[in-house]
Amino acid sequence: MQILLQPLLHRGAEIITIVFDYNAQLNLAVRKVTGVKWSQGNKCWYIPMNNEAYHNFLIKIKPLATINSSALVSYVHKKKTAKALLTTQPTPPVLPTRQAQNKTTVSQPAKTSTLQPANIVALKKFVQQLQLKAYSASTIRTYRNEFMQLLQILKSKPVNELTTDDLRRYFVYCLEEMKLTENTLHSRINAVKFYFEQVLKREKFFWEIPRPKKPQLLPNFFSQNEIAAIIKSVGNIKHKTMLMLAYSSGLRVSEVVAIKSKNIDSKRMCILVQQAKGKKDRMVTLSPVLLVMLREYWKAYKPLKTGFLFEGQVEGEPYSSRSLQLVLSAAKDKAGVLKPGSVHALRHSFATHLLDKGTDVTMIMKLLGHNDIKTTLRYLHVTNRDMLQIISPLDDLDL
């Protein structure tokens, strides 16, 4: 059994999250460690980020599990490096263009104590506006972290005084010096754009700022033989049922863990996915093979009819998305599947395999819950349905 210790910002404080595949004995042992608390928002146990809590946890848990602290060690090392740089390098200008600075990314926690009063007020208004527009907790967390990166660089300069030229230089700095990926930079631009246009009501403020072109990457997916090997390698009936559900209905990992028992309609052979991405409901197909597995799972675990189909470590709470990712990772290792891909790759596999079988792309779009047909059309680039009809000119040579 392996436990991952990872850094995270929780309610403005740095914490160490404790992530592991569910095991009753280990779960009980973790709960008994002094200082361990449960985060309902992040669906995991955690301890404060300090030496005393960390070493106390290691002493109590090391005999029971393998501890993987690589992400935590890397984070602490970066913090120490950044601190050394700040004490030896001159203070950077407000919005640097080519100067070296700590390469802070969105995943690193940020503290508001370093911000000047005007920017703390700006951050508070920013979060309130996101909440009033009913953005998801995940989006609010991402946008807040991205906006914080800008506020920390500003130091004493109020964010409200920035011009489009200032922001252009900042985004060039993010791309060239911080080496952010195009996708991450898009997320940061979206967050800053939201503040100026939705909070400050500066219409068309971002028209002069171009966006980097995103790379056209093909979705990761598994072959049907690989899917079969992964599912067969899982011995735990709960884990197996969750992976089968993700693949058979093309669900996102967040949708799998959020499914309620009442959402399974065996009479109509469909599953109701409630308030998924974009706060949309949709119906997906219920596979007869999955239904058999669900009935076996029901006999073994007896989930509440009014609760989550797959409960997590705390009664009444859903299974952790992170834990399900670890389940798939372990299953891939056991099945000998080397191809990269998370639980989301099962969703990609679902769409690709349907296309291979000749399913209409608009029907796949409906099942996946896409708003734009262009999103679904990506799978046309990975399906081999039409390619199998093509004869290579090499085959016509007299060799």
Side-chain angles (χ1 to χ4, degrees), residues 38-58:
W38 175 258
S39 169
Q40 185 170 341
N42 297 297
K43 307 300 180 189
C44 66
W45 298 106
Y46 71 92
I47 54 175
M49 188 177 287
N50 59 59
N51 286 332
E52 182 181 355
Y54 173 70
H55 290 296
N56 178 56
F57 181 82
L58 291 186

Side-chain angles (χ1 to χ4, degrees), residues 137-156:
S138 175
T139 301
I140 292 175
R141 185 166 53 249
T142 299
Y143 271 37
R144 181 188 184 278
N145 287 343
E146 296 291 8
F147 189 50
M148 275 287 291
Q149 306 309 313
L150 171 60
L151 297 183
Q152 286 189 311
I153 284 183
L154 291 178
K155 299 189 181 299
S156 61

Side-chain angles (χ1 to χ4, degrees), residues 3-9 14-20 44-47 49 54 67-73 75 107 109 322 326:
I3 292 180
L4 296 178
L5 298 182
Q6 299 173 316
L8 186 70
L9 180 68
E14 293 173 313
I15 63 170
I16 302 173
T17 61
I18 306 164
V19 182
F20 57 94
C44 66
W45 298 106
Y46 71 92
I47 54 175
M49 188 177 287
Y54 173 70
I67 309 294
N68 184 342
S69 304
S70 57
L72 183 62
V73 171
Y75 170 70
S107 60
R322 176 60 182 163
L326 292 174

Side-chain angles (χ1 to χ4, degrees), residues 53-108:
Y54 173 70
H55 290 296
N56 178 56
F57 181 82
L58 291 186
I59 292 171
K60 298 291 178 61
I61 301 299
K62 254 190 173 182
L64 303 176
T66 303
I67 309 294
N68 184 342
S69 304
S70 57
L72 183 62
V73 171
S74 176
Y75 170 70
V76 173
H77 175 72
K78 286 180 181 179
K79 281 191 65 178
K80 289 181 179 178
T81 303
K83 186 175 181 180
L85 284 173
L86 290 174
T87 56
T88 58
Q89 298 291 332
T91 303
V94 171
L95 284 171
T97 52
R98 299 291 298 177
Q99 297 200 21
Q101 193 186 36
N102 175 33
K103 299 181 180 179
T104 306
T105 64
V106 63
S107 60
Q108 294 177 331

Side-chain angles (χ1 to χ4, degrees), residues 239-250:
H239 297 162
K240 180 176 290 191
T241 306
M242 296 177 80
L243 294 181
M244 289 177 68
L245 173 60
Y247 171 65
S248 67
S249 300

